[in-house]
Amino acid sequence: MKNKYEKILLDLERKMKTFELKNKDILKVTEFNLTTIENCLKKTREKIIAEEFYSDQDEIFFFKQIKPKIFAKFIYNFNVLNIENKRPKGSIKGQKKYFENEIEKLQAYFIEHHIFYKYFRGGETYSDQQYFLRKNKSVKIHLDCLGSYLDGEFATSLDSTFAKFIGYELTIEYLKFELSKLSGQSLYPVIPVKSKLTWTGSKIGLIELIYAIYNSKVINYGETEIKELAAFFEQSFNIDLGDYYRAYIEIKNRKTNITKFLDFLKENFLQRILKFDE
């Protein structure tokens, strides 16, 4: 049954990706995505109401792992569309202030709902039956679920909150990426340096590595911008990473083996150590 629900998500992502590859206009992409996600949610709702879940665990899996990810894509695209429509047309300084304020607003949600965010980030399961079964739905659990509370057949106490956590995290990543581009324009001019080294692995593997380094805060005590790191690797290994933010979103949305390239590096390093220990 899990594969059945995962296919809904995969088909949705495939449709959006196909459109995005042919269109560079962010407003057209977000508008297309919103319509596509809305249709997906409507069809999925009909399917869920028409068919019974085989078990409580199947229902928990759907409302904890599948529906929030679909709805999160709607939240993310809606936020990006709204952000870009209201984006200041003036100075870089004004745009940076605008993005910083937007990040602060989104982060306030995590602080306000820190108990559930901790449950979400920690991958906890001890209250899943209470949070993700429709029969156990209760407005007393979380007032933020009021919006979905009216739809008793397609909502649980916390699925919309989990969707917001995912959607807001993606939106913050988008805002940080836009900030890094603005900082790159004003503070970090790229100086071309011809390197004799060439990256011969996959591009997405290198992007995975760059984001791992960035999030580990091991360069300049974590004060380095992602754009600086990307530019450094591009110059050092003679590669054009393209839109590495979109690639990062693809990595983040992997269903299995999220750290594919990092695992590959670890495996080969361990093999070398074991080889010389023999």
Side-chain angles (χ1 to χ4, degrees), residues 38-240:
E38 183 180 7
N39 290 334
C40 176
L41 283 168
K42 285 179 180 177
K43 290 179 181 178
T44 304
R45 182 183 184 281
E46 291 171 1
K47 187 184 291 291
I48 293 301
I49 292 173
E51 302 173 4
E52 290 292 330
F53 288 103
Y54 285 151
S55 66
D56 283 355
Q57 287 307 310
D58 277 337
E59 183 171 349
I60 289 170
F61 177 77
F62 176 79
F63 283 107
K64 186 178 183 181
Q65 301 294 339
I66 302 299
K67 187 194 169 189
K69 289 177 182 176
I70 297 174
F71 191 30
K73 294 179 187 300
F74 188 91
I75 293 169
Y76 166 73
N77 280 276
F78 180 84
N79 285 345
V80 170
L81 182 64
N82 191 47
I83 288 164
E84 290 299 332
N85 278 328
K86 294 180 179 178
R87 184 172 184 160
K89 306 298 181 186
S91 66
I92 288 177
K93 183 178 179 180
Q95 290 184 58
K96 288 176 72 175
K97 183 64 177 176
Y98 169 70
F99 288 132
E100 288 166 355
N101 287 339
E102 292 300 310
I103 290 173
E104 190 174 334
K105 290 177 189 175
L106 293 168
Q107 288 177 333
Y109 184 82
F110 301 131
I111 296 170
E112 183 180 356
H113 306 293
H114 64 279
I115 295 175
F116 298 118
Y117 188 60
K118 183 178 179 181
Y119 190 91
F120 166 76
R121 292 302 299 168
E124 305 294 351
T125 59
Y126 56 83
S127 292
D128 279 359
Q129 291 207 347
Q130 185 181 18
Y131 293 159
F132 300 106
L133 288 178
R134 290 167 296 176
K135 65 184 179 183
N136 293 336
K137 186 175 177 183
S138 171
V139 72
K140 294 178 181 179
I141 293 174
H142 188 23
L143 291 176
D144 188 55
C145 75
L146 278 173
S148 62
Y149 190 73
L150 297 175
D151 191 354
E153 296 179 296
F154 194 58
T156 64
S157 292
L158 227 61
D159 66 80
S160 62
T161 304
F162 267 41
K164 287 181 181 179
F165 288 154
I166 300 168
Y168 287 4
E169 283 184 345
L170 291 173
T171 307
I172 288 171
E173 287 294 335
Y174 176 83
L175 290 164
K176 286 181 176 179
F177 179 72
E178 292 301 310
L179 271 172
S180 73
K181 289 198 295 186
L182 292 171
S183 296
Q185 291 169 13
S186 58
L187 299 175
Y188 308 115
V190 178
I191 303 172
V193 177
K194 187 63 178 175
S195 169
K196 294 181 181 180
L197 302 176
T198 300
W199 182 265
T200 53
S202 70
K203 184 182 293 187
I204 199 163
L206 181 56
I207 292 169
E208 185 181 322
L209 176 63
I210 291 169
Y211 269 93
I213 293 171
Y214 172 69
N215 285 288
S216 298
K217 302 185 184 299
V218 293
I219 306 294
N220 290 349
Y221 303 99
E223 296 299 320
T224 306
E225 298 280 359
I226 188 69
K227 183 178 179 66
E228 287 183 280
L229 283 177
F232 171 79
F233 278 92
E234 284 180 323
Q235 293 173 26
S236 299
F237 297 117
N238 291 304
I239 185 173
D240 180 5

Side-chain angles (χ1 to χ4, degrees), residues 251-263:
I251 293 169
K252 192 169 183 176
N253 288 333
R254 286 172 180 167
K255 297 299 168 297
T256 58
N257 201 9
I258 295 177
T259 55
K260 184 177 179 180
F261 185 67
L262 297 178
D263 292 344

